[in-house]
Amino acid sequence: MGDMGVVVGGLRLKNPVVAAAGTFGFGAEYGEILDPARLGAVCTKGLTLRPRDGNPPPRLWETACGLLNSIGLQNPGIDAFIREELPRMREQGITVIANVWGNSPAEYEQAVAILSEAGVDAIEINVSCPNVSRGGPVGEDARRTARVVRRARRVCPVPLWVKLPPAGGIAVARAAQEEGADAVSAVNTFRGMAIDIETGRPVFANVVAGLSGPAIKPIALRIVYELAGALMIPVVGIGGIDDWRDALEFIMAGAHAVQVGTANFVDPLAAARIVAGLERYMDEKGIEDWEVIRGSAQR
Ligand SMILES: Cc1cc2nc3c(=O)[nH]c(=O)nc-3n(C[C@H](O)[C@H](O)[C@H](O)COP(=O)(O)O)c2cc1C
């Protein structure tokens, strides 16, 4: 039997399947039906220095093969997370990646310093949320991204991943790499919208919302392929991964690991199912290490 484990930007995962930020809570919600410690890691809901109520409803809207969301980073804040969620996650044996968002480079720095001190296994800074910043996410601009990553890196002794938006391009990913990111996660949701034809008005108060799910998979795959070909640091593939075959495509595109998001809402067992599917695949093909097939599409 091959080794499902993988090291991604300094973080050792028991398998390459991670629950994506904002789609798995803090793992507790899923604890009744699956053991979250079975997954490579759990990415927390996006955390901010202070608690946030998020955006006004509606916050979710189904589209053909996809989901639009405008949650707006509702979360209990990092203090409550450290007090109430982190100890339980640790007890359950979950590998914890804290997803962090800030209003400014200084806020990112402060949040990263506190969280890495509190004993999370890694930090994923989210410079790609489409639902909270006017003028587009920081991660669509290489200079702004560099500033955030530099400040975060200075205070972050644990592995630091940077979660990119689909529209950032290679320049932004390179900026993250140059400032010391250990890995990039690609991608966050795509900016989309919906209109209520009864009122003639946008469905979401912010007009724009984030599109995820199977609808984005081929585009996310292309982005991951391009990033993996251009960067020295590992890429974590995200976008519309529904089963183990999707996960395998991302690995063959060059991803060291994958994250499963919207699929968790459709089937709470999705991430565990993907782990089992990859395990079977590895066994049947007699693959000893992910390295054998990682990036096969690049060669
Ligand atoms: C309801 C919802 C909430 C999300 N919240 C966050 C978040 O807090 N931080 C973050 O970095 N990404 C967040 N995302 C983005 C996902 O982690 C993921 O990058 C995106 O949905 C694409 O993957 P998928 O197609 O598998 O869902 C959220 C996505 C959804 C659908």
Side-chain angles (χ1 to χ4, degrees), residues 20-23 44-47 60 67 69 71 73 99 124 126 128-129 163 187-189 210-214 216 238-241 259-263 265:
T23 64
T44 67
K45 173 70 199 159
L47 295 164
L60 295 175
L67 177 70
N69 92 80
I71 306 290
L73 294 175
N99 182 277
E124 180 181 72
N126 169 11
S128 44
C129 185
K163 177 140 171 206
V187 288
N188 209 318
T189 52
L211 180 66
S212 62
I216 70 170
I238 321 169
I241 296 175
Q259 294 188 16
V260 179
T262 303
F265 297 139

Side-chain angles (χ1 to χ4, degrees), residues 26 45-54 72-83 99-112 114-115 132:
F26 299 106
K45 173 70 199 159
L47 295 164
T48 49
L49 272 179
R50 275 163 285 284
R52 282 177 63 101
D53 292 335
L73 294 175
Q74 178 185 9
N75 81 96
I78 58 176
D79 290 344
F81 165 74
I82 290 167
R83 212 175 41 242
N99 182 277
V100 180
W101 186 85
N103 242 320
S104 64
E107 260 194 37
Y108 275 103
E109 178 178 336
Q110 214 181 328
V112 168
I114 295 169
L115 282 164
V132 282

